[in-house]
Amino acid sequence: MLVDNAKDSVKERKEKRKGSSSTVYSLDSPCSLAVSLLSYELISVLIAFSEAMFTSWNSGHKFCLNSSALAYFFAATYSQRRFGFAPVQRTPQRLSQGSTTTSMQFNVTCDNYLSVYVDGNLLGEGETHITSTRFHQYKVHPGSHVIALRCKGKSPPFVKAIIGSLSNGVVTDNTWKCTNIFSQGWNMRNYPDESWPMAASYGTNNPSILPWGYFEGIEPKAAWIWTNDNTGDVEVYCRRNIVFPCTKVKYSFFQPRETNKDIALQGFLLHQAKVASDIECGLRCSQYACASFTVQQLGSRGPRLCELYTESATSKPTSVMKRTGFRYYERIHVYH
């Protein structure tokens, strides 16, 4: 009898709930309890990771069934079957033909004459008076796809650059494409820009970035962009999709550097927060679209400092500084 009872206690017993086809597993053994707790932790992480993606839906981005969305639906389904509950699903905002769904404000400037186009239509142009830290403001209407900029700067040896941000979170950075070669239709929505080089970044919107400094009203994470020769190229043409189409899915993950302990970045702070773990700091980094982050390492549980940066140690090696008790991570992008 004792042997039979012992076997029954180790064995996972399947019971049918009345009126339900769901299978319930008893947790008599320590192993099954550990598996259950691990599964619950996995669900929590997946749900939190998906939440970071869903925050972008209200900003005019196209909804894609990427890895984050699939993680959410997996977590919801598994949680419902395992624990009898599921997280609330937010309704995604779908776009028509990869266009914006709401009006957006575009704050932009350059050094020193700017023309702004949306899908080939001129929104406005004129001198920017960059030395007065003023910028142009434009309204981008719903149904827009591509924003294109032409900037004419001063002759060498003066440096030149463009910077701007849209209210949906899109900023000037190295995801834009820039060239110094004029081509008919360069500002049109369906212009083939595959051969255009990616824009070069010359620092973010920060007081320490000379000669331009900081422009209040433009996102701090926005970068000063141009071609790879911002001295010799006097006139440039830049363009970018202002939504994220599903045909070009971008995945990203975080990877610690070989020497990731006791370092941080100086001069590129985007956001600070108290978090419970490295994972939570990484989720915040995804939410703010940061390039890297550091997390305070404590010997016990409790809130720890999380710092997000607009640049990385790879792109700004001279900005790396010693920070005892912190661990550093960088964002790695994979494009398809």
Side-chain angles (χ1 to χ4, degrees):
M1 179 67 69
L2 291 175
V3 174
D4 291 340
N5 289 341
K7 289 182 179 179
D8 289 341
S9 64
V10 173
K11 180 181 178 182
E12 288 187 342
R13 297 187 299 274
K14 297 184 178 179
E15 302 173 354
K16 296 290 184 178
R17 285 181 178 173
K18 187 176 181 180
S20 171
S21 60
S22 300
T23 301
V24 179
Y25 294 88
S26 61
L27 303 175
D28 293 338
S29 71
C31 290
S32 57
L33 177 60
V35 170
S36 176
L37 291 175
L38 181 61
S39 300
Y40 185 82
E41 286 295 320
L42 178 60
I43 292 169
S44 301
V45 170
L46 289 175
I47 292 173
F49 183 73
S50 303
E51 286 290 325
M53 184 200 73
F54 293 143
T55 57
S56 67
W57 284 351
N58 292 327
S59 60
H61 294 173
K62 185 172 182 180
F63 170 65
C64 304
L65 266 181
N66 57 19
S67 58
S68 300
L70 291 175
Y72 175 85
F73 293 119
F74 165 78
T77 303
Y78 189 88
S79 179
Q80 177 67 51
R81 293 181 178 180
R82 180 72 173 176
F83 303 105
F85 72 90
V88 177
Q89 178 181 349
R90 299 183 187 177
T91 304
Q93 186 177 29
R94 299 181 182 272
L95 307 186
S96 173
Q97 301 296 319
S99 62
T100 57
T101 57
T102 59
S103 296
M104 296 181 296
Q105 181 170 309
F106 184 33
N107 297 342
V108 61
T109 189
C110 85
D111 194 0
N112 60 327
Y113 190 93
L114 178 69
S115 302
V116 179
Y117 302 85
V118 172
D119 296 337
N121 299 311
L122 180 66
L123 282 188
E125 61 182 354
E127 293 185 0
T128 54
H129 303 290
I130 200 166
T131 55
S132 62
T133 66
R134 290 186 296 182
F135 52 83
H136 290 277
Q137 292 181 302
Y138 298 100
K139 183 178 181 181
V140 180
H141 295 285
S144 301
H145 303 80
V146 173
I147 196 159
L149 309 174
R150 178 181 69 89
C151 182
K152 186 173 182 179
K154 297 178 180 179
S155 301
F158 294 100
V159 294
K160 298 157 278 286
I162 302 169
I163 195 168
S165 60
L166 287 100
S167 55
N168 74 335
V170 172
V171 298
T172 50
D173 55 21
N174 56 10
T175 62
W176 288 63
K177 292 188 173 185
C178 292
T179 181
N180 64 339
I181 302 173
F182 173 81
S183 179
Q184 191 67 37
W186 69 274
N187 53 5
M188 303 298 291
R189 170 188 169 188
N190 294 320
Y191 177 82
D193 61 4
E194 290 80 6
S195 62
W196 280 31
M198 305 306 292
S201 172
Y202 294 91
T204 54
N205 186 23
N206 189 290
S208 64
I209 303 300
L210 301 177
W212 306 293
Y214 176 71
F215 280 69
E216 187 175 356
I218 295 179
E219 288 289 330
K221 65 181 179 180
W224 292 94
I225 63 170
W226 202 258
T227 61
N228 58 7
D229 184 1
N230 73 333
T231 300
D233 292 340
V234 176
E235 186 169 1
V236 301
Y237 310 88
C238 299
R239 52 181 283 134
R240 189 197 193 282
N241 287 320
I242 51 178
V243 291
F244 303 99
C246 286
T247 53
K248 295 181 181 179
V249 180
K250 181 178 70 175
Y251 298 91
S252 65
F253 59 95
F254 297 105
Q255 176 175 295
R257 286 165 56 96
E258 291 183 8
T259 56
N260 70 321
K261 292 183 179 180
D262 299 329
I263 65 170
L265 282 188
Q266 187 174 21
F268 298 99
L269 183 64
L270 172 63
H271 180 72
Q272 279 184 329
K274 289 287 187 178
V275 298
S277 65
D278 292 21
I279 291 176
E280 185 180 348
C281 190
L283 294 174
R284 288 180 180 269
C285 191
S286 295
Q287 182 179 1
Y288 282 85
C290 78
S292 62
F293 65 90
T294 56
V295 192
Q296 186 179 17
Q297 302 301 301
L298 302 176
S300 59
R301 292 184 178 181
R304 58 203 65 201
L305 183 62
C306 164
E307 292 187 346
L308 313 181
Y309 305 110
T310 57
E311 297 289 343
S312 67
T314 300
S315 62
K316 302 292 180 182
T318 58
S319 298
V320 176
M321 67 176 182
K322 183 175 179 60
R323 191 82 177 275
T324 304
F326 281 74
R327 181 174 294 163
Y328 174 83
Y329 294 85
E330 281 190 6
R331 178 190 291 273
I332 306 297
H333 295 302
V334 179
Y335 295 90
H336 295 272

